[in-house]
């Protein structure tokens, strides 16, 4: 059976600590604050990076950590520009309330690619969300409120229509008795009749009177309607039917 290695002093050798893993890219759901450190040290541009290094956002494999191990200020740009890899830069400062730290990848002294941004607001450290996530959240929130507005409007319209149908049925029931009138069907029939009336040609003019026919004047009838009813009817001077001549008998 193999025995564990023993040091010269007789103590067991402790295994090496696991390497620190770089932080994830999306850590917007957490917040870091060390109140004990804030009560002990002032939060300014000289010590803000030491405070940021305590947070889970800090990448221990960055170039700033190498400068700290060499007792050089971790934000010394003259030293960082000579290195390549991940680094942190202090981009915006409003002492003592706001500090913005940018994580970037340096390829050369002049070429850097921004990766993420962090901000320290009154001692609390947050990761700034990416622009695409901000747009997605704003669009999703707008769509939610638009859908909610349409749902509310539809429910109110349904209630209004239900109340109108109730009032119409209440007014129709005492008049119509047992027979119920469907107003929608009446409106539909009226609409069909009106459309057919628009499609049909206009009514033709009445046919003319035959030759020699003189219509009786309605003025006299309007003046004395009682005398007109009592008086015997008199044959008209001109027969309205065209004169066919004397009747002819059939010869056998």
């Amino acid at each position: 059976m193999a025995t564990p290695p023993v040091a010269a002093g007789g103590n067991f050798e402790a295994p090496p600590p696991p390497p620190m893993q770089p932080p994830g890219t999306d850590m917007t759901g957490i917040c870091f604050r060390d109140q004990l450190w804030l009560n002990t040290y002032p939060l300014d541009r000289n010590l803000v990076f030491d405070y940021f290094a305590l947070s889970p956002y800090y990448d221990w494999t960055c170039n700033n950590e190498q400068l700290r191990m060499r007792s050089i200020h971790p934000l010394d740009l003259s030293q960082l520009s000579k290195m390549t890899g991940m680094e942190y830069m202090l981009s915006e400062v409003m002492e003592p309330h706001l500090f913005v730290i940018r994580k970037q990848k340096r390829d050369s002294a002049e070429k850097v690619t921004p990766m993420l941004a962090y901000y320290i607001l009154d001692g609390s450290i947050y990761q700034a969300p990416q622009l695409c996530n901000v747009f997605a959240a704003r669009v999703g929130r707008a769509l939610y409120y638009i859908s909610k507005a349409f749902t509310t409007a539809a429910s109110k319209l349904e209630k209004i229509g239900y109340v109108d149908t109730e009032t119409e049925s209440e007014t129709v029931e005492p008049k119509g008795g047992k027979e119920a009138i469907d107003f929608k069907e009446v409106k539909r029939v009226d609409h069909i009749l009106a459309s057919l009336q628009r499609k049909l040609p206009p009514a033709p003019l009445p046919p003319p009177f035959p030759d020699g026919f003189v219509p009786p004047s309605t003025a006299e009838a309007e003046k004395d309607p009682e005398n007109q009813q009592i008086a015997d009817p008199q044959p008209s001077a001109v027969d309205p039917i065209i004169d066919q001549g004397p009747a002819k008998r059939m010869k056998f």
Side-chain angles (χ1 to χ4, degrees):
M1 181 176 180
T3 59
V6 181
N11 298 327
F12 292 101
E13 291 183 356
M20 298 294 294
Q21 298 293 330
T25 56
D26 188 8
M27 302 179 69
T28 55
I30 64 174
C31 168
F32 176 80
R33 184 181 180 88
D34 191 343
Q35 192 63 40
L36 181 62
W37 191 97
L38 295 173
N39 295 336
T40 307
Y41 304 98
L43 191 60
D44 54 13
R45 65 176 64 243
N46 295 322
L47 297 177
V48 67
F49 192 82
D50 295 335
Y51 180 60
F52 179 75
L54 301 175
S55 68
Y57 308 108
Y58 185 65
D59 187 358
W60 290 86
T61 62
C62 63
N63 298 335
N64 307 85
E65 184 63 23
Q66 297 181 20
L67 296 180
R68 293 179 68 188
M69 295 174 63
R70 290 158 50 186
S71 300
I72 303 175
H73 195 280
L75 297 177
D76 190 353
L77 185 58
S78 61
Q79 298 292 330
L80 290 174
S81 59
K82 300 176 183 178
M83 306 171 71
T84 58
M86 288 294 178
E87 65 181 23
Y88 295 95
M89 286 294 297
L90 189 63
S91 59
E92 299 290 339
V93 177
M94 293 179 62
E95 292 182 347
H97 301 289
L98 179 64
F99 301 87
V100 180
I101 297 176
R102 184 175 67 246
K103 183 180 182 180
Q104 57 189 15
K105 182 180 180 183
R106 182 176 292 277
D107 298 325
S108 63
E110 298 179 354
K111 184 180 179 181
V112 292
T113 304
M115 304 294 292
L116 296 170
Y118 308 90
Y119 60 95
I120 304 173
L121 181 61
D122 293 332
S124 299
I125 306 177
Y126 307 88
Q127 178 182 343
Q130 297 184 3
L131 190 60
C132 60
N133 296 334
V134 174
F135 284 157
R138 296 292 175 85
V139 171
R141 183 177 299 179
L143 290 176
Y144 167 76
Y145 284 113
I146 290 173
S147 176
K148 187 176 180 181
F150 276 111
T151 304
T152 305
S155 62
K156 289 186 177 181
L157 289 176
E158 288 179 359
K159 290 180 180 179
I160 293 172
Y162 179 72
V163 171
D164 291 344
T165 52
E166 281 188 349
T167 53
E168 289 178 358
S169 60
E170 290 176 358
T171 55
V172 168
E173 282 179 0
K175 294 181 180 180
K178 297 182 180 179
E179 296 181 359
I181 300 175
D182 191 355
F183 286 94
K184 293 183 179 180
E185 188 68 21
V186 172
K187 292 180 180 179
R188 188 178 69 85
V189 173
D190 291 345
H191 179 70
I192 293 173
L193 293 177
S195 61
L196 290 175
Q197 186 177 5
R198 286 192 297 268
K199 293 179 182 179
L200 292 174
L205 298 175
F209 292 104
D211 296 339
F213 175 73
V214 178
S217 59
T218 58
E220 296 179 357
E222 291 177 358
K223 290 180 181 179
D224 195 3
E226 296 179 358
N227 297 336
Q228 184 180 4
Q229 293 178 1
I230 296 172
D232 296 331
Q234 297 179 359
S236 58
V238 181
D239 194 347
I241 302 175
I242 300 176
D243 190 11
Q244 301 291 335
K248 297 181 180 180
R249 295 181 180 180
M250 299 179 64
K251 294 181 180 180
F252 295 99

